[in-house]
Amino acid sequence: QVTDKAGNTWRTPSFRNPDDGYEWYGTLIEPTADQLSKTLPTWHVFISRHGADNIKWQNSTIAYWYSKEWPYGIRCGIFDSQTSNYYDNVRIDVRGNTTVDIVGSAGGTKLSHGLKFSKVHPMQCTDPFSGEQITVRKTSLLAELQDPSNIRSDLSMHLRRLAGQEVPFGYPVRVQMNGSFYQLDHHTNRFTDEYLTDYLGYDEEGYAFKNVGTFGGDKDTGGNPTKVLPDDGNEDDISLLDAFESQMYGNDRQSVHLNHRLVPGSTNAVVRLYDLPYWVNFLALSRLTQECDDDTSTLNLYYDINGTGTWRPLAYDLHQSFGVFYADTDTSKNKNGLIADLDDKKGHPFHGGLHAPENYSMGNRAYEGIYQTAKFRRLLVRRLRTLMDEILKEPGTSQEDTPFWKDY
């Protein structure tokens, strides 16, 4: 930084926009000196001690004071040993998958973080396993506290890719903070407008909603609908979800819940409003991976208003799969293990339906649109069998002859 005789100050980088620009250039000497694996990327995060101490308060009741002290959010610098790139002025916050305010997911001390890189220097990385080249600004680090193996998200995404479903990228990274080991995280997309339009290539004028719940009204479970697209700040568009669900069970939600029946004409509504092949594939894959909360809190929808005019579910937040049952401590009836015909264990082929045994979630009305019509159920069962035959193979097949493992 220099100042001329007229008093004008010049610096590089210019840092004219504190919310979206570089303040410093930087690098790291011998970034791989303590790196145990050359395959596992290491991120070196540098953050002020004050910022590190206060980041966990961002979702709490003192967020007002946080916003006054950090009007542009808490910032950090990140050096990626994989590419030897340094990223400055990265916004870091606490994101979903951290279910309590002060400590991490499910009462632990690990936090999941959202990251926002600057427009002038987006994150550029490579999935070390698939080789995918990635450029991203809005991304995240998932603590994966409920999955110490740090493999369930990868396995779920792998199976879905083999079956032709769109999923986020994802791979593990070792995170160092201020020179010390911080935690092992899962680097993956954040469910944002960037993910939908830039990564998936969706129409930016389409409508996307995350965490829509069960469409159960007063019987809803886990849903907190948030509009992601269009990114115009108009939250009144949530009414599109009401219009969608009313096609399935009208306005008498309680009657539907008690009678386990959708309104007349719902079959025609499915044909008209659902991207049916996508729904069938999504449901079959969710049951094969024993996804924990796809029918409740993490159901995400996209409405292709300018294209097909239909709705489709989007797979995201896949860490609670393959036997991870969140907050399930009931050991009666041997519920601490997977039981395929008990609905609260996610293995039932019609999980999320009102007729499945021991239904704990009150049922998902969007799922019921498929489950309650015989020809749609046959499509789902057929897709399940096809995926099992083509990707998983019969029990006892060697890993070398099983596409799921051979291609992983």
Side-chain angles (χ1 to χ4, degrees):
Q1 178 172 310
V2 296
T3 304
D4 62 19
K5 293 181 179 180
N8 298 310
T9 299
W10 305 84
R11 74 184 308 273
T12 182
S14 61
F15 198 50
R16 294 175 181 176
N17 182 0
D19 189 35
D20 189 28
Y22 261 38
E23 185 174 9
W24 308 104
Y25 296 127
T27 189
L28 194 64
I29 305 300
E30 296 185 355
T32 61
D34 61 347
Q35 190 170 321
L36 301 180
S37 171
K38 302 303 181 183
T39 303
L40 181 66
T42 297
W43 288 15
H44 298 267
V45 178
F46 301 95
I47 187 172
S48 70
R49 180 177 297 179
H50 193 42
D53 289 341
N54 284 274
I55 191 172
K56 60 189 176 185
W57 295 95
Q58 292 179 84
N59 289 345
S60 74
T61 55
I62 66 166
Y64 168 77
W65 300 107
Y66 150 76
S67 64
K68 288 181 71 68
E69 185 167 357
W70 286 284
Y72 301 110
I74 294 178
R75 300 300 171 122
C76 68
I78 297 177
F79 184 91
D80 178 12
S81 65
Q82 183 190 50
T83 60
S84 295
N85 281 331
Y86 174 75
Y87 302 91
D88 193 48
N89 200 32
V90 179
R91 179 165 182 159
I92 182 170
D93 57 31
V94 175
R95 58 146 287 171
N97 300 96
T98 302
T99 55
V100 291
D101 272 341
I102 308 305
V103 295
S105 301
T109 56
K110 296 178 67 176
L111 298 170
S112 293
H113 296 296
L115 302 170
K116 185 177 180 181
F117 292 79
S118 69
K119 292 179 181 178
V120 298
H121 197 181
M123 178 74 175
Q124 294 179 314
C125 53
T126 302
D127 186 324
F129 303 105
S130 70
E132 178 184 4
Q133 303 291 314
I134 302 161
T135 299
V136 63
R137 285 188 62 228
K138 302 172 184 178
T139 186
S140 57
L141 295 171
L142 301 187
E144 303 285 52
L145 185 66
Q146 294 164 295
D147 178 22
S149 70
N150 215 282
I151 198 174
R152 284 178 169 83
S153 289
D154 284 326
L155 289 175
S156 182
M157 289 189 289
H158 174 59
L159 178 58
R160 290 172 187 269
R161 287 193 192 99
L162 290 177
Q165 188 172 79
E166 300 158 320
V167 292
F169 70 78
Y171 59 89
V173 296
R174 173 188 172 97
V175 179
Q176 302 278 119
M177 183 172 288
N178 295 337
S180 300
F181 175 71
Y182 182 54
Q183 59 192 34
L184 182 65
D185 282 324
H186 188 78
H187 179 215
T188 186
N189 301 89
R190 205 164 184 176
F191 197 86
T192 64
D193 56 335
E194 179 192 62
Y195 169 61
L196 295 166
T197 60
D198 294 351
Y199 190 76
L200 296 183
Y202 284 6
D203 182 2
E204 63 182 12
E205 295 183 353
Y207 290 86
F209 304 90
K210 65 179 180 179
N211 303 334
V212 300
T214 65
F215 293 109
D218 58 337
K219 294 294 183 182
D220 209 3
T221 304
N224 182 26
T226 303
K227 191 182 81 167
V228 178
L229 279 180
D231 186 19
D232 56 9
N234 182 10
E235 294 302 323
D236 291 340
D237 290 332
I238 293 292
S239 61
L240 287 170
L241 292 174
D242 296 328
F244 172 65
E245 59 180 310
S246 67
Q247 298 288 328
M248 308 311 300
Y249 56 83
N251 296 318
D252 191 359
R253 295 169 172 173
Q254 187 65 21
S255 175
V256 173
H257 173 68
L258 294 175
N259 298 323
H260 290 195
R261 288 289 182 271
L262 300 181
V263 298
S266 60
T267 298
N268 292 332
V270 170
V271 174
R272 186 175 68 256
L273 296 175
Y274 282 44
D275 184 336
L276 191 56
Y278 208 96
W279 277 92
V280 169
N281 198 35
F282 173 85
L283 290 174
L285 288 164
S286 295
R287 301 291 62 82
L288 286 180
T289 59
Q290 298 143 15
E291 183 62 30
C292 178
D293 49 9
D294 62 287
D295 61 311
T296 54
S297 60
T298 62
L299 178 61
N300 310 290
L301 296 179
Y302 176 77
Y303 179 32
D304 186 14
I305 191 171
N306 291 329
T308 62
T310 57
W311 294 78
R312 64 168 50 179
L314 301 178
Y316 187 74
D317 243 357
L318 303 174
H319 63 296
Q320 292 191 56
S321 57
F322 291 111
V324 173
F325 308 122
Y326 179 69
D328 192 350
T329 57
D330 184 1
T331 57
S332 64
K333 300 183 181 180
N334 194 31
K335 288 186 180 180
N336 58 329
L338 177 65
I339 302 176
D341 61 353
L342 290 184
D343 189 49
D344 60 355
K345 278 293 168 275
K346 317 298 178 181
H348 193 281
F350 300 137
H351 166 70
L354 293 165
H355 295 80
E358 295 209 10
N359 193 314
Y360 91 105
S361 69
M362 301 296 183
N364 186 296
R365 273 50 174 184
Y367 288 18
E368 280 295 289
I370 293 176
Y371 292 160
Q372 290 203 17
T373 301
K375 56 185 175 183
F376 298 155
R377 286 199 305 274
R378 287 197 293 270
L379 287 174
L380 175 58
V381 172
R382 177 62 262 175
R383 184 57 178 164
L384 276 166
R385 171 52 61 187
T386 298
L387 292 173
M388 293 167 66
D389 290 345
E390 293 184 353
I391 299 178
L392 300 181
K393 300 296 183 180
E394 63 184 36
T397 303
S398 67
Q399 287 193 2
E400 293 78 10
D401 295 325
T402 304
F404 178 70
W405 291 116
K406 182 173 62 176
D407 299 329
Y408 184 64

